[in-house]
Amino acid sequence: MRADAQAQPNIALIKYWGKRDIEQNLPAAGSLSVTLDSLWTKMSVEFSDALPVDQLVLNAAANDEMLPRISACLDRVAGTDRLRASVESESNFPIAAGLASSASAFAALVVATSKAAGQESDTLSLARIAGSVSGSAARSLYGGFVELQASDANIDVETIAEAGVWPLTVVIAVTEEGAKPVSSGEAMIRSAANSPFYSSWLEQQPADLVSARNAVLRKDFAQLAAVSEHNCLKMHSVMWASRPPVVYWNSATLSCMEAVRHLQDEGHAVFFTIDAGPQLKAICLSDETDLVRSALDGCAGVVRTMVSGLGAGATLLDSK
Ligand code: PMV
């Protein structure tokens, strides 16, 4: 009746931005990400016939705000006629601030829920359920370099290269710890509704995916850097041009971008990406890690940096 699971957030290099079906939360296009290793979310789920309602404890504090999404996810895995559950979640990084905390949370939640409900579910089925709650969460079921393909009916997700095959490092520059002003879901719907760039964004997505996939398979850092930065900047252009506009960056985000450009000009293997928040993620070859970290630490407005390698998909943990 109780199970524990752990998942790591993932950082998209080719972004998911836009929904084909809002009701089912199906992405309008594919995406490609790397799963991290040193940031994690642990989830424990315990079903009990003594509970009148679901309960959520997030980082040791009761939380009712996130509970509806958690309950909806429990329903999708265990059915609406399930027992009520006590869910406890712990993360070692800030949540709701553009660090993909919903990805690791819902990936860990589907794995723990399925086990606590006594099911033997396959990874893709769980990824599809996680994705129906938070699109990027589907990718955190898998480790390493992960590609998500979107079709009319469903998504397919797979690891295209294991983490150990190309051990890149991700340096995260945290520029603001608070929650973001507009949720990614709401911002995506706004982009699709009125950004003049949305349709060309979607048209170009398949070609960007092919380019990134080939770059990963050939370990071509320069190609991966070029297509990833281009894809990130296109996604933000789509949202900047929506009405009302969505601008997640702050001045420190731009300082970090400039620092990465400077390192690139000096010939270092590093590139940036930015998600629905003001944090900048620099991806580099592992021997560049210290240099990249100190450059980002030196940028005005950076609160702190975090370093992660690439890691595994969601896993069950031994229950306490
Ligand atoms: O999974 P969501 O709904 O939080 O959206 C994620 C959106 C981005 O992080 C900006 C891009 C991505 O592919 O992860």
Side-chain angles (χ1 to χ4, degrees):
M1 293 304 246
R2 171 177 170 154
D4 293 53
Q6 174 174 330
Q8 287 65 242
N10 67 79
I11 306 294
L13 304 182
I14 302 301
K15 308 291 188 186
Y16 152 51
W17 195 258
K19 299 174 197 287
R20 181 186 306 270
D21 182 323
I22 296 173
E23 194 73 7
Q24 293 188 59
N25 204 41
L26 277 175
S31 54
L32 190 148
S33 59
V34 287
T35 303
L36 304 184
D37 69 351
S38 62
L39 277 59
W40 48 254
T41 300
K42 293 179 183 171
M43 278 279 173
S44 99
V45 174
E46 184 165 20
F47 289 108
S48 161
D49 52 12
L51 287 172
V53 288
D54 293 330
Q55 291 175 353
L56 172 65
V57 172
L58 205 76
N59 288 335
N63 185 304
D64 286 340
E65 205 187 314
M66 293 277 288
L67 192 56
R69 270 179 104 194
I70 297 281
S71 293
C73 187
L74 294 166
D75 286 349
R76 283 177 204 186
V77 179
T80 45
D81 56 352
R82 64 179 171 82
L83 295 176
R84 299 301 101 185
S86 162
V87 177
E88 275 182 49
S89 166
E90 188 195 347
S91 294
N92 69 343
F93 62 97
I95 59 170
L99 289 177
S101 57
S102 65
S104 50
F106 288 107
L109 183 64
V110 293
V111 171
T113 305
S114 158
K115 177 76 177 173
Q119 302 169 350
E120 297 283 338
S121 305
D122 63 281
T123 307
L124 182 59
S125 308
L126 292 177
R128 286 174 170 168
I129 297 174
S132 74
V133 187
S134 166
S136 56
R139 299 186 309 241
S140 273
L141 269 292
Y142 296 81
F145 296 82
V146 178
E147 184 171 346
L148 183 151
Q149 296 278 1
S151 70
D152 280 343
N154 226 322
I155 54 165
D156 280 301
V157 199
E158 62 172 349
T159 293
I160 60 164
E162 297 291 345
V165 168
W166 198 17
L168 301 181
T169 301
V170 181
V171 183
I172 299 168
V174 178
T175 65
E176 219 172 275
E177 307 242 41
K180 55 193 164 204
V182 187
S183 74
S184 51
E186 192 186 324
M188 276 182 212
I189 291 168
R190 200 182 294 174
S191 292
N194 63 34
S195 175
F197 304 148
Y198 183 71
S199 57
S200 45
W201 155 255
L202 285 187
E203 269 162 36
Q204 293 176 25
Q205 202 65 355
D208 283 4
L209 257 184
V210 170
S211 172
R213 183 194 313 138
N214 288 338
V216 168
L217 298 177
R218 289 191 213 116
K219 298 193 208 172
D220 182 337
F221 191 87
Q223 184 173 324
L224 187 63
V227 70
S228 300
E229 287 192 357
H230 179 61
N231 191 267
C232 163
L233 293 173
K234 280 193 291 190
M235 177 185 78
H236 286 277
S237 304
V238 169
M239 42 179 127
W240 280 38
S242 68
R243 290 184 183 172
V246 179
V247 178
Y248 285 116
W249 304 357
N250 58 29
S251 56
T253 319
L254 280 163
S255 303
C256 291
M257 214 185 278
E258 206 179 316
V260 171
R261 285 273 178 263
H262 183 70
L263 290 172
Q264 289 172 335
D265 289 345
E266 289 179 339
H268 296 288
V270 57
F271 67 88
F272 66 79
T273 192
I274 304 158
D275 292 296
Q279 333 301 359
L280 179 134
K281 291 105 182 190
I283 293 90
C284 61
L285 293 182
S286 40
D287 55 0
E288 305 272 22
T289 307
D290 292 346
L291 187 78
V292 171
R293 186 174 204 176
S294 71
L296 295 177
D297 272 328
C299 291
V302 169
V303 182
R304 63 198 169 100
T305 53
M306 297 183 283
V307 172
S308 178
L310 307 190
T315 47
L316 277 169
L317 299 173
D318 290 336
S319 287
K320 286 164 226 157

